[in-house]
Amino acid sequence: MEFDQEARKFNFSAKPIPKDDNQAGGLILKSYYAKNHIVDGLNDGFIVKIVT
């Protein structure tokens, strides 16, 4: 994999959003996880192990 030699470390943008918008987005994401049975951690019945 090649990386752009001109790219600077920590070259990204961030913008704060209002608290209410952040909470609304979090609730949407939580609902998505619940509806699609997405579990984080070892309690998930389907674990992918990447080996090289």
Side-chain angles (χ1 to χ4, degrees), residues 7-50:
R8 292 178 291 178
K9 190 174 182 179
F10 304 116
N11 185 17
F12 58 87
S13 298
K15 182 177 179 182
I17 62 171
K19 178 182 175 182
D20 291 341
D21 291 344
N22 189 44
Q23 288 178 334
L27 290 173
I28 292 169
L29 187 58
K30 181 180 178 180
S31 174
Y32 170 80
Y33 288 159
K35 287 179 182 177
N36 291 282
H37 306 286
I38 296 173
V39 179
D40 185 20
L42 297 176
N43 293 328
D44 191 347
F46 184 77
I47 298 175
V48 175
K49 182 177 180 180
I50 300 172

